[in-house]
Amino acid sequence: QQQVKQSPQSLIVQKGGISIINCAYENTAFDYFPWYQQFPGKGPALLIAIRPDVSEKKEGRFTISFNKSAKQFSLHIMDSQPGDSATYFCAATNAYSGAGSYQLTFGKGTKLSVIP
Amino acid sequence: DTEVTQTPKHLVMGMTNKKSLKCEQHMGHRAMYWYKQKAKKPPELMFVYSYEKLSINESVPSRFSPECPNSSLLNLHLHALQPEDSALYLCASSPQRVSNTGELFFGEGSRLTVL
């Protein structure tokens, strides 16, 4: 029940195209959903995050869409650029589970390659 | 540049060696974390320190021993490791509970190879 399922495992997109990564969760206690971006040889970095009381959040070319009833959320990267090539992890956390509030449950990751 | 600094960046050790990984942050964060990341996998939580006290130990083998000397420093002492322990070890920090903002600040990691 603690899993976050992420797809696809890898994604190749042409420069200027839209990249879409999907995640699904089971635990309805999750209440914060961040996305992390990791470049090779670097640690992950927070990209964008959303709470379940909103259906969409946009920051520049990055948008999270959230469907609470379906327990799904997705990351859309508009006008994808070669510099966006990285591994993307969705994650979820729960503010109300004591020690669990220090934990992020990560998806398995999506390796995005944007080709010129 | 990351505000969480990890040393060394690379470490090669034998199975009988004792070594330590170090992590430092000066953002005033009160929660610090050790994660282990294998190739093509997500980070896997090992330990959490909250206000310099061990808050979470995710059933990590005793050959890994964390230490938090003060609010800015976090160490991971390594002893009698196995080749399967070879991985990228990531240190992270957060202002308080990660659930407040979902944000962890990760270092660049220490790449450990156990021969």
Side-chain angles (χ1 to χ4, degrees):
Chain A
Q1 192 170 13
Q2 290 293 321
Q3 279 187 325
V4 176
K5 295 182 180 179
Q6 184 172 346
S7 62
Q9 188 174 350
S10 63
L11 181 61
I12 300 174
V13 174
Q14 291 272 359
K15 178 182 175 182
I18 302 173
S19 304
I20 302 174
I21 304 170
N22 300 301
C23 287
Y25 64 98
E26 289 294 325
N27 187 351
T28 54
F30 286 146
D31 58 2
Y32 208 93
F33 301 88
W35 285 87
Y36 280 79
Q37 179 188 54
Q38 186 174 23
F39 293 104
K42 303 290 186 182
L46 180 68
L47 186 63
I48 187 172
I50 197 168
R51 291 200 181 275
D53 53 347
V54 297
S55 60
E56 186 175 283
K57 183 174 181 179
K58 184 176 181 178
E59 291 184 2
R61 296 184 294 109
F62 300 91
T63 300
I64 300 178
S65 297
F66 190 87
N67 185 329
K68 188 174 181 178
S69 61
K71 291 184 284 187
Q72 295 175 347
F73 58 109
S74 60
L75 177 69
H76 296 233
I77 306 174
M78 311 300 287
D79 186 27
S80 299
Q81 299 296 313
D84 297 329
S85 298
T87 299
Y88 292 81
F89 295 99
C90 63
T93 185
N94 170 10
Y96 302 109
S97 66
S101 61
Y102 288 101
Q103 296 183 343
L104 283 178
T105 299
F106 285 96
K108 292 192 174 183
T110 297
K111 184 176 181 181
L112 172 65
S113 300
V114 181
I115 54 177
Chain B
D1 288 341
T2 182
E3 295 182 79
V4 177
T5 303
Q6 290 188 243
T7 56
K9 291 192 184 302
H10 300 275
L11 178 64
V12 179
M13 60 187 290
M15 289 190 285
T16 59
N17 291 158
K18 284 185 180 181
K19 297 286 186 182
S20 296
L21 306 180
K22 297 185 184 300
C23 175
E24 189 169 5
Q25 59 89 11
H26 293 288
M27 295 179 281
H29 291 173
R30 302 315 300 267
M32 295 188 75
Y33 309 72
W34 280 115
Y35 280 84
K36 173 182 178 180
Q37 188 176 30
K38 296 282 238 182
K40 300 183 181 181
K41 298 289 186 183
E44 181 182 333
L45 184 64
M46 301 175 72
F47 302 104
V48 180
Y49 274 84
S50 173
Y51 292 86
E52 295 102 72
K53 289 185 172 22
L54 184 63
S55 175
I56 295 175
N57 176 341
E58 289 287 355
S59 303
V60 179
S62 60
R63 57 186 184 268
F64 295 92
S65 175
E67 178 195 20
C68 189
N70 60 54
S71 61
S72 299
L73 293 174
L74 187 65
N75 298 321
L76 186 62
H77 302 298
L78 314 171
H79 175 53
L81 295 193
Q82 304 296 312
E84 58 264 30
D85 297 322
S86 298
L88 181 68
Y89 288 85
L90 292 162
C91 174
S93 69
S94 63
Q96 37 186 320
R97 296 172 187 268
V98 71
S99 58
N100 286 6
T101 63
E103 182 162 19
L104 286 171
F105 292 78
F106 284 92
E108 294 193 347
S110 293
R111 175 75 60 190
L112 173 66
T113 302
V114 181
L115 300 177

